[in-house]
Amino acid sequence: MAQLYFRYGAMNSGKSIEILKVAHNYEEQDKAVLIFTSGLDNRDEVGFVSSRIGLRREAIPIHDDTDMISIVRQQTNRISCVLVDEVQFLNKEQILQLTRIVDELKIPVMGFGLKNDFQNELFEGSRYMLLYADKIEEMKTICWFCERKATMNLRVDESGKPVFTGEQIQIGGNDAYYPVCRKCHTNPPL
């Protein structure tokens, strides 16, 4: 039975490497997958899922006008799974498209992304994944500064100083964000 999965975690929790691993596992069994990623993420190159350990793979970029259902329907191979990286950047309508892929096309969809932003507010895509997903799983990592589990993302500026105001979306990696626990987010030891 097809289901909608949401696998979330703080920065550096291995979300992108996990999506690449899942794709590999399906394809090793000759099962076709489609990989989507947000068109906003340009850290490596738009239209690629890239992990910090150097693995990368082409993906279909999702923009505001992307019709994921049509893209899935147009595939000549039977799609066994749809994988979506950076799902937090999707809007409500796009999350509802993912539910239709599951419910109407009977294809499992796995979305990977952040749950909350640097101000500890939910992203729109994450909010609707939490509401609509059949299965929700946290991907864990440790705090940048201590041994606790990281549940938040601390934004830092070019000099490494914490930033607590600004636009919700600012694309960046270890140069701009640290995975942190609640205590270190409230009182960063910087």
Side-chain angles (χ1 to χ4, degrees):
M1 179 166 86
Q3 294 187 317
L4 177 61
Y5 299 85
F6 181 32
R7 299 193 72 193
Y8 72 89
M11 297 289 291
N12 297 347
S13 61
K15 297 176 298 296
S16 295
I17 191 71
E18 183 69 15
I19 202 169
L20 297 172
K21 181 182 95 175
V22 169
H24 173 78
N25 289 344
Y26 270 95
E27 291 168 342
E28 192 172 46
Q29 299 174 24
D30 293 321
K31 296 175 182 171
V33 298
L34 268 185
I35 303 177
F36 289 93
T37 190
S38 170
L40 295 176
D41 189 355
N42 60 3
R43 285 176 286 174
D44 181 9
E45 185 177 348
V46 172
F48 280 85
V49 173
S50 300
S51 72
R52 290 183 330 279
I53 64 170
L55 298 177
R56 72 190 294 256
R57 176 158 173 179
E58 195 166 358
I60 301 165
I62 302 169
H63 302 285
D64 287 339
D65 61 348
T66 302
D67 183 352
M68 292 178 281
I69 297 169
S70 292
I71 292 169
V72 173
R73 282 190 173 131
Q74 291 169 4
Q75 300 305 303
T76 56
N77 293 336
R78 163 78 174 113
I79 302 301
S80 294
C81 187
V82 172
L83 304 168
V84 184
D85 199 21
E86 305 294 351
V87 73
Q88 74 270 9
F89 295 141
L90 276 58
N91 60 41
K92 179 181 181 180
E93 179 55 38
Q94 292 166 327
I95 300 303
L96 291 174
Q97 285 183 36
L98 298 179
T99 67
R100 290 183 58 211
I101 292 168
V102 171
D103 297 340
E104 295 171 19
L105 304 180
K106 299 182 181 8
I107 300 171
V109 175
M110 298 179 75
F112 295 78
L114 300 171
K115 182 182 65 164
N116 40 317
D117 66 15
F118 75 107
Q119 294 176 318
N120 207 31
E121 297 292 334
L122 292 174
F123 285 97
E124 181 177 0
S126 303
R127 176 177 184 223
Y128 289 102
M129 285 297 284
L130 287 167
L131 290 171
Y132 289 105
D134 298 298
K135 304 265 180 166
I136 299 168
E137 181 181 339
E138 180 182 20
M139 297 182 67
K140 297 171 182 70
T141 191
I142 58 170
C143 179
W144 195 266
F145 303 108
C146 70
E147 301 297 321
R148 291 181 189 87
K149 179 177 82 167
T151 58
M152 300 180 183
N153 304 295
L154 179 66
R155 184 183 286 175
V156 295
D157 63 19
E158 312 79 42
S159 66
K161 300 283 186 223
V163 175
F164 296 102
T165 60
E167 294 295 318
Q168 183 180 46
I169 297 174
Q170 175 184 310
I171 305 300
N174 288 346
D175 59 322
Y177 295 97
Y178 297 144
V180 294
C181 66
R182 182 182 60 243
K183 180 180 178 186
C184 290
H185 188 271
T186 304
N187 295 302
L190 294 172

